[in-house]
Amino acid sequence: MSPSEIESQLIEVLSTVLGQPVSATASRANEPGWDSLKHIQIVFAVEEKFGVQFTEEEIPLLDSVAKFQEKLMRHHAA
C-alpha cells in the first residue's frame, strides 16, 4: 500500500469517527473533537481498517494523521 493510499484511508477513518471532514494535517492539537475518548475510537478504527495492532506505548504517540501514517508504513513494511 502506498503512502498516499494510507493517508487517504486514514483521512476517511478520522472523518468518520470525528463526524466531520479532516485534512492530512489533522492532529489532536488542531481538531477540537479529537479528545481522549475519540482518540481510542480512532485507534480501534484504524487498527480494524488496516489489520494492525498498536502497542500500549504507541497509542499515546499517535496524535496526528502523519504519525499514524508513519507507524502504519512501519507495520506494513515489517
Side-chain angles (χ1 to χ4, degrees):
M1 186 175 293
S2 75
S4 63
E5 290 173 317
I6 290 174
E7 180 182 84
S8 175
Q9 291 183 24
L10 274 171
I11 290 170
E12 181 181 315
V13 169
L14 266 72
S15 295
T16 299
V17 174
L18 294 174
Q20 64 187 24
V22 299
S23 71
T25 61
S27 71
R28 286 186 78 172
N30 65 17
E31 289 294 333
W34 191 339
D35 59 16
S36 57
L37 177 58
K38 287 292 182 185
H39 184 69
I40 297 303
Q41 292 174 337
I42 289 167
V43 169
F44 288 155
V46 170
E47 286 179 333
E48 184 176 328
K49 177 77 173 179
F50 291 93
V52 299
Q53 187 165 5
F54 300 114
T55 65
E56 289 180 38
E57 294 80 23
E58 291 172 323
I59 291 172
L61 304 174
L62 299 170
D63 62 356
S64 67
V65 170
K67 288 183 182 175
F68 268 108
Q69 184 177 7
E70 177 185 326
K71 194 57 71 175
L72 286 167
M73 291 298 292
R74 288 185 184 168
H75 275 270
H76 282 284

